[in-house]
Amino acid sequence: MSGEHEATPWPTGDMAGLQFVAPGRAEWMRVPVPEERAGQVLVEVERLGICGTDEHLFSGHSAYIRSGLTTYPFQPGHEFVGRVVAVAPGVRSVAVGDRVVGEPFLPCLACPVCRSGAINLCPNRAEQGVRGNVPGAAARYVRTPAANLAVVPEGVGPDAAVLAEPSVTALGALEAIAVMPGDEVAVIGTGTIGLLVVQIASALGARVTAVGIDEHGLARAEECGAIAVARPEEAPGDRFDATVEASGASPALLTASRITGPGGRIAQVGIPGGADVPVDGSSIVAKGLTITGVLGGVSHLSRAVGLIAAGVIRPELLIRHVIGWEEAPDAFGVPAGEAKPKVLVDLSALAALSGDGAADHAAGAGAERGAA
Ligand SMILES: [Zn+2]
Ligand SMILES: [Zn+2]
């Protein structure tokens, strides 16, 4: 939380913004700096995280693209950290100069779902950079509601801080299955979310078994705190008090219902690519399993930042590399292979150049790509 601040002029003009222009095509372009709006903040972006959601939006396989909720061209980017450069009058929760992380949900705050508190599930919501064509953070500046931001303490650098947004989902999963110290917890999937769940659940005192098909990912899960690892077919049946399914693999919910014990809880976090996934209904009934879908989380962003600052969440175990903005158009849809799952984009060079210069430079890069 920050104190009083002097009014700072809200930047205007053009800036560099990365656009998804068609399936499989991203280009830097000149876009307008977002205008001042009540309750909102302008953030100069330092780092952008790339995740599976971005890759599905880039390829066109995203359900939001297929349903028309999001249409090309649009500006992606929902995992970001940056410095506040301007705030609308009356904003007090953040101040110019603060390093902040954001979360992308823009709920309507008026519908029955929002009034119930589940604002991340609002049917009318936009998601910045993801759903509803609200510009994301793949740009020099991103405008976002002050309420969506958490201040990053000194001592937490931008690479680490950008992991706060995916950590919200990991915390949402652990909240859904109400993990207690000593619980036997299975985590299916060794991507970013799965490994974050392993880290946090282990710190909570759960006994975590990582389940996956990638031996490098399983080794990484052990670094993150898992006491055991198993391939899906080798994981013991009826063993776990709770299971987090973070892979999105089609047969993974079958595995989850097989390995979770009577009365157990399952959090489905991974989004299966196909519409239909096999489900073992008789096991679910016979064992009285509870399966909860998890889409992000509410009120976990500051908690996530605190866990990064405290060293409970260790982003360095997840970050493959940090690329420059010039490489960003080619960075979506590159499989991790044996590497760590998380790729970050350093956008601070856009800020170091003068506004028009950065935009010109970026537009030039886009034009070169277009001509190639
Ligand atoms: Zn993401
Ligand atoms: Zn709503």
Side-chain angles (χ1 to χ4, degrees), residues 218-231:
L218 291 174
R220 205 154 284 129
E222 287 186 304
E223 290 174 16
C224 288
I227 59 165
V229 298
R231 296 184 59 83

Side-chain angles (χ1 to χ4, degrees), residues 51 78-79 165:
C51 81
H78 62 280
E79 303 178 4
E165 196 276 342

Side-chain angles (χ1 to χ4, degrees), residues 14-350:
D14 287 352
M15 64 176 183
L18 184 71
Q19 309 290 306
F20 285 176
V21 294
R25 255 182 71 207
E27 293 176 8
W28 283 102
M29 293 185 174
R30 291 180 73 111
V31 296
V33 173
E35 293 173 1
E36 182 174 327
R37 193 173 285 179
Q40 304 222 355
V41 169
L42 197 68
V43 176
E44 192 159 49
V45 182
E46 297 178 285
R47 294 289 186 282
L48 185 73
I50 294 177
C51 81
T53 298
D54 299 303
E55 291 168 359
H56 292 148
L57 290 164
F58 176 73
S59 69
H61 295 135
S62 163
Y64 295 155
I65 297 284
R66 287 189 275 117
S67 66
L69 280 167
T70 304
T71 56
Y72 300 110
F74 69 96
Q75 184 170 296
H78 62 280
E79 303 178 4
F80 67 91
V81 56
R83 294 276 183 189
V84 174
V85 294
V87 302
V91 168
R92 289 284 177 270
S93 57
V94 297
V96 170
D98 284 346
R99 173 173 282 156
V100 292
V101 291
E103 54 191 341
F105 290 99
L106 303 173
C108 78
L109 301 179
C111 73
V113 177
C114 282
R115 280 186 270 121
S116 80
I119 57 174
N120 55 323
L121 305 179
C122 169
N124 310 316
R125 74 186 182 278
E127 296 173 38
Q128 204 148 23
V130 174
R131 167 173 155 145
N133 282 51
V134 178
R140 179 175 179 188
Y141 297 118
V142 62
R143 182 187 63 202
T144 196
N148 282 39
L149 298 173
V151 176
V152 177
E154 294 304 320
V156 177
D159 294 347
V162 81
L163 268 293
E165 196 276 342
S167 296
V168 166
T169 299
L171 288 163
L174 291 170
E175 180 180 43
I177 57 173
V179 167
M180 294 288 285
D183 276 356
E184 294 279 349
V185 174
V187 179
I188 302 175
T190 56
T192 298
I193 300 293
L195 293 176
L196 287 168
V197 172
V198 170
Q199 290 185 3
I200 301 166
S202 299
L204 282 169
R207 297 166 49 79
V208 177
T209 297
V211 179
I213 58 173
D214 170 28
E215 61 180 298
H216 301 280
L218 291 174
R220 205 154 284 129
E222 287 186 304
E223 290 174 16
C224 288
I227 59 165
V229 298
R231 296 184 59 83
E233 64 275 15
E234 296 164 348
D238 296 344
R239 165 70 170 276
F240 298 98
D241 300 303
T243 298
V244 175
E245 200 302 273
S247 75
S250 174
L253 196 51
L254 284 180
T255 301
S257 56
R258 181 179 67 77
I259 66 179
T260 306
R265 298 94 64 192
I266 298 171
Q268 177 72 42
V269 183
I271 301 175
D276 298 318
V277 297
V279 171
D280 179 0
S282 54
S283 275
I284 293 168
V285 172
K287 293 199 274 185
L289 301 177
T290 302
I291 303 177
T292 306
V294 176
L295 182 72
V298 177
S299 305
H300 290 323
L301 190 63
S302 291
R303 193 191 317 274
V305 170
L307 291 171
I308 292 169
V312 170
I313 294 172
R314 291 178 293 160
E316 72 278 8
L317 297 178
L318 309 183
I319 296 171
R320 188 188 326 166
H321 51 208
V322 182
I323 61 174
W325 63 267
E326 305 94 325
E327 301 170 74
D330 300 318
F332 298 90
V334 179
E338 301 177 0
K340 296 178 184 177
K342 198 72 192 170
V343 173
L344 308 183
V345 186
D346 183 351
L347 296 182
S348 58
L350 298 179

